[in-house]
Amino acid sequence: RPQIPVEVQCQEAQLVVTVHRDLFGNGRLVSAAELSLGPAACRHSRLDPSQKTVTFSAGLHECGSTVQVTPDSLIYRTLLSYDPSPGSNPAIVRSNPAVIPIECHYPRRDNVTSGSIRPTWAPFNSVLASEERLLFFLRLMNEDWSSERDFSAFRLGDVLNIQAEVGAHSHVPLRLFVDSCVATLGPGAGSEPHYAIIDFNGCLVDGRADATSSAFVTPRPRQDVLRFQIDAFRFAGDARSLIYITCHLKVTPAEQSPDALNKACSFSKA
């Protein structure tokens, strides 16, 4: 039977790569020092002279591996690199470098384990949830929304262009919502006095006043970006001109339809 030069085992928390030193099937055994795993160039963990194999064992997030999240799977990718050492005569080469892509696929909605789950084990889904990072941004934008506003000073009568967005690497498509926004004279949504700009899970209540044009901007540029405009204001009876705006941002899967708890609602004057 033809020998498989590279074998991969996708285990619960690591991948194990076994390389037969007759990598190209030509009888020439490659050196373990000429092999490395991933962009971080991790070295082998075991060498078996009798079987003529080199084994790499690495955690799923180690050695510079990358992960892609699809609706159904987690896909971990890395590379096995062969970098032949120069021979005694530097004027000639007898072997070319090689790069072998390696992938491990895991279902998103199951615990990945080959045996029964012990009570002390953390289910794979909960471990994943703690590792995901979503970066939320709230920015004051210029008049045409092309870039962030250089300065944050406004006069009464001006319009504030506010853009909320979320950045998630290799994540499934997301739709962003602004659940609430509160204006205060001090940092933090709990300080007094305060004025609700967005409330009730995504309603821009500032737009209810007859003299305002505050509203969400439609259509969205992307599902993970949401823009809204509010008329500049100050707190009555207070000479301070610095206002803090604190917003609660959240996301849902892009394919999920908006509902009572996840919406971007403007008020129609008509």
Side-chain angles (χ1 to χ4, degrees):
R1 191 182 67 171
Q3 180 175 270
I4 300 173
V6 178
E7 298 179 42
V8 180
Q9 290 181 314
C10 299
Q11 299 180 358
E12 182 172 322
Q14 68 174 1
L15 57 89
V16 178
V17 181
T18 301
V19 185
H20 291 269
R21 292 179 58 198
D22 188 6
L23 185 61
F24 300 102
N26 56 8
R28 179 185 178 274
L29 302 183
V30 303
S31 169
E34 298 172 322
L35 299 168
S36 62
L37 185 68
C42 292
R43 311 313 301 181
H44 64 279
S45 56
R46 188 168 68 254
L47 179 63
D48 189 337
S50 62
Q51 298 295 323
K52 300 178 182 178
T53 58
V54 181
T55 301
F56 296 84
S57 298
L60 295 176
H61 293 280
E62 296 176 352
C63 302
S65 65
T66 61
V67 60
Q68 178 188 0
V69 183
T70 70
D72 299 318
S73 302
L74 297 171
I75 305 173
Y76 290 87
R77 293 187 173 95
T78 190
L79 302 169
L80 175 70
S81 299
Y82 166 63
D83 187 15
S85 56
S88 57
N89 187 344
I92 61 172
V93 294
R94 299 188 185 276
S95 183
N96 286 324
V99 176
I100 301 168
I102 292 172
E103 291 186 2
C104 282
H105 292 240
Y106 296 91
R108 284 190 67 192
R109 294 175 173 83
D110 294 316
N111 293 307
V112 182
T113 175
S114 57
S116 59
I117 299 177
R118 302 174 187 173
T120 55
W121 289 5
F124 186 79
N125 289 349
S126 65
V127 174
L128 171 67
S130 68
E131 293 176 353
E132 288 187 2
R133 292 282 190 269
L134 297 178
L135 301 179
F136 291 94
F137 301 94
L138 193 68
R139 297 186 173 98
L140 283 171
M141 306 297 288
N142 60 14
E143 291 183 359
D144 62 0
W145 301 93
S146 60
S147 63
E148 195 165 352
R149 185 182 170 98
D150 293 332
F151 56 100
S152 56
F154 294 88
R155 291 184 174 89
L156 294 180
D158 290 345
V159 174
L160 282 68
N161 288 345
I162 301 178
Q163 177 168 295
E165 56 188 291
V166 59
H169 298 290
S170 304
H171 206 286
V172 295
L174 298 171
R175 179 181 286 122
L176 175 72
F177 293 99
V178 180
D179 200 57
S180 63
C181 276
V182 175
T184 57
L185 289 173
S191 63
E192 294 290 343
H194 72 274
Y195 173 68
I197 299 171
I198 297 175
D199 204 353
F200 307 114
N201 306 114
C203 287
L204 211 161
V205 293
D206 184 57
R208 290 184 299 188
D210 292 337
T212 67
S213 59
S214 303
F216 286 103
V217 178
T218 57
R220 296 171 180 251
R222 299 193 313 270
Q223 291 299 323
D224 57 0
V225 174
L226 185 59
R227 293 170 173 173
F228 59 98
Q229 296 177 307
I230 58 175
D231 294 349
F233 62 88
R234 65 179 180 84
F235 283 88
D238 198 295
R240 286 174 288 180
S241 60
L242 179 62
I243 292 177
Y244 295 83
I245 297 178
T246 305
C247 296
H248 175 212
L249 311 182
K250 64 181 179 181
V251 291
T252 64
E255 69 269 14
Q256 177 179 319
S257 299
D259 54 34
L261 299 179
N262 304 285
K263 59 184 181 294
C265 163
S266 300
F267 286 89
S268 170
K269 292 298 190 296

